Amino acid sequence: MTANYQELCLKHPCYAKGKKAQTGRIHLPVSPGCNIGCRFCDRKFNDYEKRPGVCSSILKPAEAVEVVRKSLELCKDITVVGIAGPGDTLATPYALETFRLIRKEFPKLFLCMSTNGLLLEEKAEEIIETGVDSVTVTVNAVDPVIEALLNSFVIYHRKRYEGVEGARLLIEKQLNGIRKLAKADVTVKINTVLVPEINLYHIETIAKTVKEAGASIYNIIPLIPQYELSMCSVPNCAQIDSSRRLAEKYLDVFKHCQHCRADAIGVPGEKDFSSEIYSRKLNLA
Ligand code: SF4
Ligand code: SF4
């Protein structure tokens, strides 16, 4: 039985409405590859950068179980096991494989995954069977012309689609996937990377569209200008506030996002235990 939206709002730190939550999450970096080309994506392996797409190393599913065990010893506040990359969680089979192992070993922890949504429609049944409690889909635009400015290509069933053609395919798959999960009562959260020069005036349309598809909560993530979008600006507070207010007309908005690493461990925005876990190497073999 998966958690419902109300339970997640109480126990998942990234579903907290109003005040920042005091529960924790662990991100397991088991998903190395990706199947789309976001123009702001710069995946890296290091110990010092605090942002999505960065982790110390990739874990194998069996190693991830041991990392969860050790993390629970260090941080009693962890309620959620999440997989958020560093690539896409559905582009390789490791995330769902990891969740099946975690579900068996730690049945009380919530399972949460983030995806770009390209494969969401076709993997929805497997996600539901695995017992994933919440799925975050990054939807940066619902207009293919705008999406093409944020994403250069998608690779779908070994074929590469560029520009507007790829963007149209991605949006279609994302929305169909959200509809399928919502119909099965899996809670869906939407992340949108806000790029002032590209999608600032599109947020209301995104929020309305994903709400109609069945999403419950929305999270606006300010752009970190890098890679092909290094010339774009970081949204200012007024832009973030006005975007949130427009989104709030349609669905709940999460306001405490911390730009976490793909191997973050602990309560978001507080002490992170990942360096302790990964520097010890844990005798994972
Ligand atoms: Fe990078 Fe995530 Fe976009 Fe893939 S979906 S290119 S990992 S930001
Ligand atoms: Fe939660 Fe934001 Fe961190 Fe993801 S990046 S775990 S949504 S706080």
Side-chain angles (χ1 to χ4, degrees):
M1 179 81 180
T2 53
N4 63 34
Y5 180 54
Q6 277 68 31
E7 275 178 273
L8 291 168
C9 289
L10 289 174
K11 295 183 184 154
H12 189 315
C14 313
Y15 281 77
K17 292 179 276 173
K19 233 168 76 198
K20 182 178 158 306
Q22 285 307 310
T23 51
R25 49 78 192 100
I26 172 165
H27 280 171
L28 296 170
V30 297
S31 302
C34 193
N35 44 13
I36 72 173
C38 297
R39 294 184 192 273
F40 50 78
C41 179
D42 187 13
R43 296 197 292 282
K44 279 200 180 135
F45 292 102
N46 65 47
D47 297 328
Y48 54 88
E49 272 180 283
K50 189 184 156 291
R51 63 171 176 84
V54 177
C55 60
S56 302
S57 58
I58 298 292
L59 293 175
K60 295 192 182 113
E63 292 175 328
V65 175
E66 285 317 303
V67 166
V68 172
R69 204 183 305 285
K70 295 283 177 190
S71 300
L72 289 171
E73 285 168 16
L74 281 179
C75 180
K76 305 282 178 227
D77 299 319
I78 291 173
T79 52
V80 177
V81 172
I83 303 182
D88 182 65
T89 50
L90 295 174
T92 51
Y94 310 119
L96 290 174
E97 200 181 321
T98 303
F99 279 140
R100 285 190 275 270
L101 297 176
I102 301 287
R103 185 50 102 210
K104 233 165 101 191
E105 294 288 320
F106 309 99
K108 290 193 178 146
L109 293 176
F110 296 115
L111 305 181
C112 173
M113 67 191 289
S114 301
T115 175
N116 61 40
L118 181 64
L119 297 180
L120 197 55
E121 186 181 6
E122 64 197 67
K123 298 275 182 187
E125 282 83 7
E126 200 182 337
I127 293 169
I128 295 160
E129 275 166 29
T130 305
V132 175
D133 295 286
S134 63
V135 176
T136 297
V137 189
T138 302
V139 178
N140 295 324
V142 290
D143 175 334
V145 174
I146 298 175
E147 178 64 30
L149 298 172
L150 297 160
N151 182 281
S152 49
F153 66 87
V154 314
I155 296 176
Y156 185 67
H157 290 214
R158 297 179 184 213
K159 192 168 168 208
R160 185 179 168 107
Y161 300 84
E162 301 204 344
V164 173
E165 189 189 13
R168 185 172 291 116
L169 179 64
L170 177 62
I171 294 164
E172 181 195 318
K173 297 292 169 192
Q174 289 173 328
L175 294 176
N176 287 344
I178 294 166
R179 285 185 196 107
K180 258 192 172 178
L181 291 180
K183 220 170 153 191
D185 291 326
V186 177
T187 301
V188 178
K189 171 160 148 279
I190 304 299
N191 280 350
T192 294
V193 177
L194 178 61
V195 185
E197 291 83 354
I198 300 176
N199 62 1
L200 178 63
Y201 299 107
H202 188 48
I203 298 296
E204 183 170 1
T205 309
I206 300 174
K208 184 171 186 290
T209 308
V210 295
K211 171 67 186 174
E212 282 164 6
S216 298
I217 187 164
Y218 195 62
N219 178 24
I220 293 170
I221 303 184
L223 174 75
I224 300 175
Q226 55 190 13
Y227 191 48
E228 289 179 24
L229 297 192
S230 57
M231 77 307 251
C232 289
S233 49
V234 179
N236 60 36
C237 292
Q239 289 169 327
I240 296 171
D241 277 357
S242 63
S243 301
R244 283 177 176 160
R245 243 175 285 124
L246 289 171
E248 256 167 347
K249 284 165 63 178
Y250 305 94
L251 68 187
D252 290 335
V253 172
F254 171 63
K255 296 177 182 164
H256 304 287
C257 189
Q258 302 288 325
H259 264 152
C260 305
R261 288 168 60 94
D263 59 5
I265 301 172
V267 177
E270 296 188 8
K271 178 174 164 55
D272 191 281
F273 294 91
S274 55
S275 52
E276 279 161 79
I277 292 286
Y278 292 105
S279 63
R280 281 197 213 164
K281 298 283 182 221
L282 289 175
N283 300 322
L284 291 170

